[in-house]
Amino acid sequence: MTPFEIPPWDDNAPAETALPDGVRLQKVMAAAGVASRRVSEQLIEAGRVSVNGEIVTELGRRIDPENDLVSVDGGAVQLDPTKRYVMLNKPVGIVSSLADQHGRPDLQRYTKQFEERLFNVGRLDAETSGLLILTNDGDLAHVLAHPSFGVLKTYIAKVEGRVTPQTLATLSKGVDLEDGPIAADKARLLDVESEHSIVEVTLHSGRNRIVRRMLDAVGHPVVDLVRRSFGPLNLGTLKAGGMRELTKVELGQLLTLSRDAKGEGRAGDETAGADSAVADPEE
């Protein structure tokens, strides 16, 4: 089915939908998989649907699916079915590259399973496991990967030694590294063992191996590191090496975040997004 064809169960719809004055909103919603045409009509009448930030309640509203932005209950809806969004729990030993020049295991073993040309949003170094997003949506990738947009990422680190409250305060206040000062948005102690501590670090920086360098700077070298969350996304129970497509709720949260950023005029085009995702420093 092409992006804006009438779903097959819409028996009463006219054959042609791409009319000069646009496509009926409920048909666009149905084609995007939001709900059936009739349920979409109910959502519109209930005032739960907005177009370009304006609540729509009339069923006769027509939109341009290529340019208008639709939201349901405040969550953005992706009207382009060619876009794909996949969560990967990257295992240790995999390089965050689509074609590693040294022949090391890379992300191509995962992306080759999809017809679309997917790229990774940001990177994790080979020794770090955890959440990576694979997508072909450059606008979204640009917002998520660029530190200026302040998208938070949370890491769980097993470190050497017993971390004290004073050390956590230092991480939050900021430490000086060779490429400049850096402060965690949040740092907390999860557990203390005889020779190791488990620390949660949240930050928005995308600087190279930043979590490892921060913890090393306060005297607690990292033994094991995993990224548990990226913006509103969380690994949950996804096993190492596992993949899954984002749920509609998760995708709506990401798209809403991206639209808010673009509303401030900061997001780049698809090409820029892809470049920033691939070139982002390893975390």
Side-chain angles (χ1 to χ4, degrees), residues 1 8 10 13 21 33 56 73 117 126-127 143 166 174 226 234 240 242 257:
M1 182 181 293
D10 192 356
D21 53 347
V56 175
D73 293 333
R117 179 182 177 271
E127 293 76 33
V143 171
Q166 291 75 19
V226 57
N234 193 287
L257 185 157

Side-chain angles (χ1 to χ4, degrees), residues 66-104:
E66 294 186 2
N67 296 298
D68 289 329
L69 303 178
V70 175
S71 298
V72 177
D73 293 333
V77 176
Q78 176 57 273
L79 302 181
D80 184 353
T82 68
K83 300 301 184 186
R84 187 179 289 271
Y85 309 85
V86 177
M87 179 189 296
L88 165 69
N89 186 349
K90 187 192 82 68
V92 171
I94 301 294
V95 178
S96 294
S97 170
L98 298 177
D100 184 62
Q101 59 182 347
H102 301 295
R104 294 171 295 180

Side-chain angles (χ1 to χ4, degrees), residues 144 147 150-156 171-172 175 177 181-187 200-215 225-227 229-231 283:
L144 294 179
V151 179
L152 296 176
K153 291 157 279 189
T154 298
Y155 302 80
I156 304 298
L171 290 171
S172 298
V175 294
L177 302 177
I182 181 68
D185 292 87
K186 183 179 180 181
E200 179 185 88
V201 178
T202 300
L203 72 170
H204 64 271
S205 172
R207 285 154 61 178
N208 189 47
R209 300 174 67 88
I210 190 64
V211 178
R212 293 179 181 274
R213 291 192 292 134
M214 289 177 68
L215 290 168
L225 183 64
V226 57
R227 180 159 68 193
S229 68
F230 195 140
E283 298 177 59

Side-chain angles (χ1 to χ4, degrees), residues 134-187:
L134 305 175
T135 186
N136 57 350
D137 187 337
D139 282 346
L140 178 66
H142 179 69
V143 171
L144 294 179
H146 202 287
S148 68
F149 294 102
V151 179
L152 296 176
K153 291 157 279 189
T154 298
Y155 302 80
I156 304 298
K158 180 178 182 179
V159 302
E160 296 181 5
R162 300 174 68 87
V163 173
T164 66
Q166 291 75 19
T167 299
L168 297 176
T170 298
L171 290 171
S172 298
K173 183 178 179 180
V175 294
D176 291 319
L177 302 177
E178 62 273 15
D179 55 353
I182 181 68
D185 292 87
K186 183 179 180 181

Side-chain angles (χ1 to χ4, degrees), residues 25-26 28-29 32 34 40 43-57 61 63 65 67-79 248 251-260:
L25 177 57
Q26 58 265 42
V28 174
M29 292 170 59
V34 175
S40 295
L43 293 173
I44 294 170
E45 291 178 321
R48 297 170 61 183
V49 180
S50 64
V51 177
N52 301 325
E54 178 185 355
I55 297 294
V56 175
T57 56
R61 176 65 179 269
I63 69 169
N67 296 298
D68 289 329
L69 303 178
V70 175
S71 298
V72 177
D73 293 333
V77 176
Q78 176 57 273
L79 302 181
K248 289 187 181 298
L251 178 55
Q253 292 172 330
L254 287 186
L255 292 176
T256 300
L257 185 157
S258 178
R259 289 181 186 180
D260 289 345

